[in-house]
Structures are given as structure tokens and as C-alpha cells.
Amino acid sequence: FTTWRDISARKLAEQALQESETKFREFFEKAADAIFIAEIETGVIVDVNEAATRLMNRSYEQLIGIHQSQLHPPVKENYAKDTFAIHTELIKQKVNSYALENTVLRADGAEVPVEILASEVDYHGKNCMMGTFRDVTERKRASEALKNSLSLTEATLESIHNGILVV
């Protein structure tokens, strides 16, 4: 006695899942911003994209398995833990994340200002946080240049107003 079972639906579902995972991985790897995935319970990093390795000037292997607070300068370790806790609490309350600024410490010792957004993800069956880190160095430089220009303009206008223009 032989039993035949049609498994084409299961095969199609498996194929669709594989295609979905491939697309996710491609989007993840090609994202312009650095993405870190850390377990919510432990804060340990379980995955990063290529942009994260470039931002941190570290290899994939050097980033996997470290605590998320180790991405930041030692003087900001408590702040990093606090912001992780804030993001975790927002996730628990189902509130959309908002950008928090922090600084990361690259392997070469350079400190880079970043804006961090976080969201909850299921990563291989684990409850994780996906942190998107955007390098805001250029934005900060432009803002500082604008402030300096504004200060110079104000000083010039004040001199003109007072009838004392020093060139």
C-alpha cells in the first residue's frame, strides 16, 4: 500500500521564505546606515551589516558577541546603557523609537557622533533590537560652520550699528 502526498504547497512556501530571507539580507547588507542587531535581554550584538564594520573600522568578527555599550567611548558607557534601556522601554510600550544621539569609538580611536534609531526584531527566534546608526559628523560640522558664520555676521552688524567697522 503506497501513500502519495502533495507537498508542492510546502515547497512553494519554503521557496518563498528563502527568497524573503535573501531579499532581507541584501537590503540589510546594502543599507547606507550602520545596522547593529543586539539581543534585548543581554545587549550582546548578534549581527551587523557592512556599513557597521566601516563605521566602527572593525571586522564583523570583532563586533559579534560584544556588548552594545562597547561601541561607545568608556566615558559614555553608562549613557549607552541608559539609551539602550530607553529604547527597550519604548519597544515594550509599542512606542515608535525616536532618534537619540551618542558617540561611537572606532578601532582607530576616533570618536564619531551618531544618531541612533531602534526597533524590535525577531532574529532567529530571539527578541532583539535593531539599532540604525547614522554618522552625523558632516551635519555637526555644517551646523558649527553656520553658527560661526552667524556669530561673525552678528558681530559685523553690531559694529556697523555702533558705527565702528573694523576691517
Side-chain angles (χ1 to χ4, degrees):
F1 174 56
T2 303
T3 303
W4 294 94
R5 225 186 264 168
D6 184 3
I7 60 168
S8 57
R10 188 177 83 203
K11 287 288 186 187
L12 287 174
E14 288 173 0
Q15 182 180 358
L17 178 62
Q18 181 61 40
E19 288 172 6
S20 176
E21 288 176 9
T22 300
K23 280 183 185 178
F24 161 77
R25 193 44 131 178
E26 186 175 352
F27 291 142
F28 179 75
E29 288 301 336
K30 293 188 180 194
D33 291 326
I35 301 174
F36 297 85
I37 298 177
E39 293 178 351
I40 287 179
E41 291 297 315
T42 64
V44 172
I45 296 171
V46 294
D47 203 356
V48 299
N49 68 352
E50 291 174 19
T53 63
R54 285 192 305 273
L55 173 67
M56 300 305 298
N57 197 21
R58 297 185 199 173
S59 70
Y60 178 87
E61 293 76 19
Q62 290 172 318
L63 293 169
I64 300 304
I66 67 171
H67 191 271
Q68 60 80 24
S69 65
Q70 291 179 284
L71 298 174
H72 308 282
V75 296
K76 293 216 172 194
E77 186 174 344
N78 287 336
Y79 178 71
K81 288 179 180 178
D82 290 345
T83 57
F84 190 83
I86 289 167
H87 282 302
T88 301
E89 190 57 36
L90 291 172
I91 285 169
K92 286 179 184 174
Q93 294 175 16
K94 304 294 183 201
V95 175
N96 287 337
S97 177
Y98 58 93
L100 295 173
E101 285 197 13
N102 204 337
T103 305
V104 293
L105 181 63
R106 293 170 44 109
D108 60 7
E111 292 187 14
V112 181
V114 292
E115 182 179 80
I116 305 170
L117 286 167
S119 56
E120 182 178 23
V121 293
D122 181 302
Y123 184 79
H124 298 293
K126 292 181 181 174
N127 195 20
C128 292
M129 183 183 304
M130 180 174 72
T132 303
F133 288 50
R134 176 165 291 165
D135 181 344
V136 292
T137 303
E138 290 306 315
R139 183 189 318 163
K140 289 207 174 269
R141 280 188 190 138
S143 176
E144 194 59 37
L146 187 59
K147 284 179 190 174
N148 290 339
S149 177
L150 183 58
S151 294
L152 182 59
T153 302
E154 287 173 347
T156 303
L157 289 173
E158 182 69 26
S159 295
I160 291 169
H161 179 72
N162 293 330
I164 310 168
L165 180 57
V166 179
V167 181

